Amino acid sequence: MKREDGGAQLYISSMHSKRPHQRADLVRIAIHAMSERGLEPEFPARVEVQLASITGPGSEAGTASAPIHDLTPLLWCSLDNDDSLDLDQLTVCEVLPKGAVRLWVAIADVDALVRKDTPIDTHALINTTSVYTSARIFPMLPERLSNDLTSLNPHEDRLALVTEMVFNADGSLAGSTVYRARVRNKAKLAYDAVSAWIDGEGPLPEAAARVPGMEAQLRTQDALAQQLRARRHAEGSLELETFQPRALFEGEQVIDIRQQVQNRGRQLIEEVMIATNGCTARYLASHGGASLRRVVRSPERWLRIVGVAKEYGVTLPEEPDSRALEAFLARQHKDDPLRFPDLSLVIVKLMGRGEYVVETPGGPPIGHFGLAVRDYTHSTAPNRRFPDLITSRLLKAALAGQPQPYSNAELGELALHCTRQEDAAQKVERQMRKSEAALLLESRVGERFDALVTGSAAEGIWVRVFTPPAEGKLIKGDGGLRVGDKVRVKLVSTNVERGFIDFVLAG
């Protein structure tokens, strides 16, 4: 492990100010971090000019080759974070004979308003993704679009690309198709409330209770998602739990930091989106065109992963084997959930990052090692990710029988650019999580905390305190500690600008 500050300069005025840091300071730090990494935090004037010319949501009539079906009567619902306003997808299902299930997934047709090579599109291409920090979201598209006109908002008709899938009683995919449609969100739902209801720990959310038939919808979607999840894990999909706490604000003040919990609501959408992305990739391949795939290659550092497993008394095969790795991870998650996020981080780093590549029919398959799937693209979040907007345009061209809007050479350049910019955005988000934790803790210097040793390197020892969930450096008194040891530490300093948190061993 090492400390990252992205080469950021210290802000002298902040260093010498006696006042506590606030939300506005985090926004300033985030803007600086984005600019240093080649991301644009603000929209230029040309975007505002185009935005002013857009008077309402997309309202195309469709064509004979690509008709727009009216699916507004279906019991569509959205499921996302509590504070999400950029709604990219809706789901609805139907129980068929012999235990089969038909599932529809609607993805916002952002291209209906954001055409290729227009000023808004050109700016979106610079960042290629929304950047999410707790203090402020930096959207890829102007909020008037992503939170309104291209968002699948409740009780509004919207254009969408729909993937219709039929699953057999055992969760296997019987078939799928893609087409354009008009949809209407009947209930805006949130992960945590739906999960509490599924687990019997809370009521059916009011937005769902108001819609007759929605309760059965959610039960069926959850059951299907759990089937799909079990099938993927049987194929070797990796269950990882990374450390990504989020700051909570009360006005300008950070009042807490909480680790996002994986739950049934998030699993529902995760499984449905993985299935949709696979069907999208195969649909494009079946029409003879190139596609922008999201891949995680078979790990080149597999032997390092084998070495990590050996430290836990587990022997993995000498060749990459996702099923064996998943079995090891599942055992560790069950046996030692406290330390599992740290093991997950080690495995993620050794596996290597995800990337975008161009795949052409008949070309060499790469697949997604971590998800244990052969065909995978990003298509389900066009308000938030540029690769998904590209895929939307490829799909619409295929549906209309028109030439692809991007050449293979263009797609190759876009794949490299999107990979690079997404990596930059993730580094900004990671840096900001550290600054958020330092801000919360800057008033608690001198306090003692229970912690876990999470890393050991030439630069020093790293520890993670449990409450609040935050990581820092042990600057004195390592005492021969090993990763996984529980310790008592004392907070001695913080640096919000750089996201530094320093501890010493407490007596």
Side-chain angles (χ1 to χ4, degrees):
M1 294 187 180
K2 64 178 180 179
R3 282 181 157 163
E4 292 184 53
D5 61 12
Q9 302 171 5
L10 285 178
Y11 292 82
I12 302 302
S13 60
S14 296
M15 288 181 64
H16 293 294
S17 173
K18 295 296 184 182
R19 68 168 179 81
H21 287 82
Q22 296 182 321
R23 185 180 198 142
D25 295 300
L26 292 176
V27 173
R28 170 179 51 78
I29 295 168
I31 289 172
H32 185 75
M34 287 182 66
S35 299
E36 282 211 329
R37 295 191 182 278
L39 302 169
E40 289 192 2
E42 309 295 351
F43 293 103
R46 63 183 181 278
V47 166
E48 301 300 335
V49 170
Q50 183 188 350
L51 187 63
S53 71
I54 298 174
T55 57
S59 58
E60 299 174 22
T63 64
S65 57
I68 296 176
H69 302 268
D70 183 11
L71 299 186
T72 55
L74 296 181
L75 295 184
W76 296 101
C77 68
S78 60
L79 186 54
D80 215 312
N81 290 309
D82 289 312
D83 55 356
S84 291
L85 299 175
D86 49 350
L87 305 181
D88 281 299
Q89 67 267 331
L90 305 178
T91 55
V92 65
C93 67
E94 172 190 19
V95 177
L96 301 175
K98 298 181 180 179
V101 174
R102 188 189 315 277
L103 175 71
W104 292 268
V105 176
I107 305 301
D109 186 356
V110 174
D111 175 69
L113 288 181
V114 182
R115 297 299 191 186
K116 183 175 180 285
D117 297 330
T118 58
I120 294 175
D121 180 65
T122 301
H123 177 78
L125 174 57
I126 294 173
N127 288 0
T128 78
T129 182
S130 295
V131 179
Y132 293 90
T133 76
S134 296
R136 176 182 164 187
I137 294 172
F138 298 87
M140 181 183 78
L141 301 176
E143 290 184 347
R144 182 166 170 257
L145 296 181
S146 60
N147 290 359
D148 184 9
L149 299 181
T150 58
S151 176
L152 301 177
N153 288 345
H155 317 304
E156 299 283 349
D157 288 0
R158 292 287 185 265
L159 291 178
L161 282 161
V162 171
T163 301
E164 181 181 329
M165 298 164 274
V166 174
F167 295 93
N168 297 314
D170 64 354
S172 60
L173 182 67
S176 67
T177 188
V178 179
Y179 49 84
R180 301 187 67 190
R182 186 171 289 103
V183 299
R184 188 180 182 90
N185 186 356
K186 301 295 197 299
K188 181 178 183 290
L189 304 174
Y191 294 132
D192 293 344
V194 168
S195 295
W197 167 71
I198 291 172
D199 293 334
E201 298 173 356
L204 179 68
E206 184 180 347
R210 287 197 299 262
V211 182
M214 188 61 73
E215 179 175 358
Q217 275 286 319
L218 293 172
R219 293 285 187 199
T220 302
Q221 291 184 39
D222 170 63
L224 174 61
Q226 291 304 311
Q227 272 190 310
L228 298 178
R229 191 173 189 82
R231 290 181 67 88
R232 281 199 308 111
H233 287 311
E235 293 295 320
S237 175
L238 305 183
E239 185 76 25
L240 298 164
E241 184 180 307
T242 53
F243 181 65
Q244 294 186 339
R246 293 186 63 187
L248 300 181
F249 289 87
E250 193 172 272
E252 282 290 299
Q253 306 301 318
V254 176
I255 59 170
D256 198 4
I257 292 180
R258 295 177 188 169
Q259 170 72 343
Q260 180 174 284
V261 178
Q262 178 69 300
N263 57 36
R264 291 281 280 269
R266 289 187 174 86
Q267 289 172 2
L268 192 163
I269 291 301
E270 179 179 293
E271 295 305 324
V272 167
M273 295 308 111
I274 291 172
T276 302
N277 284 326
C279 291
T280 298
R282 288 187 291 273
Y283 183 88
L284 289 173
S286 71
H287 283 71
S291 61
L292 199 61
R293 300 292 182 101
R294 179 67 174 179
V295 305
V296 173
R297 300 176 188 271
S298 183
E300 293 181 358
R301 292 181 286 182
W302 175 257
L303 292 181
R304 294 273 302 280
I305 294 175
V306 171
V308 170
K310 195 170 184 179
E311 294 175 8
Y312 291 84
V314 174
T315 301
L316 295 179
E318 293 188 3
E319 295 297 323
D321 186 326
S322 61
R323 286 188 179 91
L325 179 56
E326 164 56 16
F328 161 62
L329 291 171
R331 193 189 83 169
Q332 290 306 125
H333 186 270
K334 180 180 179 181
D335 292 348
D336 194 356
L338 184 65
R339 296 171 176 83
F340 188 71
D342 306 300
L343 172 61
S344 294
L345 180 60
V346 170
I347 298 300
V348 167
K349 288 182 176 180
L350 291 175
M351 281 176 53
R353 67 179 184 177
E355 60 184 300
Y356 295 101
V357 300
V358 179
E359 191 161 309
T360 55
I366 299 174
H368 197 298
F369 184 87
L371 296 177
V373 292
R374 158 65 183 84
D375 300 299
Y376 194 71
T377 187
H378 269 174
S379 65
T380 57
N383 276 306
R384 315 177 191 190
R385 289 188 306 232
F386 199 77
D388 304 58
L389 183 53
I390 292 171
T391 299
S392 176
R393 290 169 177 155
L394 295 174
L395 283 171
K396 289 172 72 173
L399 287 167
Q402 297 174 346
Q404 288 199 328
Y406 301 92
S407 68
N408 288 2
E410 284 179 300
L411 286 175
E413 293 174 0
L414 287 167
L416 291 172
H417 175 69
C418 290
T419 298
R420 183 170 57 249
Q421 296 301 83
E422 185 177 284
D423 182 59
Q426 289 174 350
K427 287 178 178 176
V428 170
E429 291 170 354
R430 185 164 60 243
Q431 179 182 336
M432 293 312 301
R433 285 195 294 271
K434 294 177 180 179
S435 289
E436 290 158 7
L439 191 156
L440 178 66
L441 289 172
E442 71 176 346
S443 63
R444 301 180 65 178
V445 170
E447 291 188 25
R448 288 166 168 77
F449 302 86
D450 291 321
L452 188 73
V453 177
T454 58
S456 177
E459 306 95 60
I461 301 291
W462 299 84
V463 298
R464 172 163 53 87
V465 300
F466 300 129
T467 307
E471 192 169 59
K473 187 176 183 181
L474 195 62
I475 61 171
K476 189 171 68 174
D478 58 39
L481 294 173
R482 298 176 59 186
V483 172
D485 287 348
K486 290 183 180 180
V487 293
R488 184 77 171 164
V489 296
K490 177 181 176 182
L491 178 64
V492 293
S493 67
T494 64
N495 185 318
V496 176
E497 303 293 334
R498 295 197 177 200
F500 291 175
I501 301 173
D502 292 334
F503 298 97
V504 296
L505 285 178

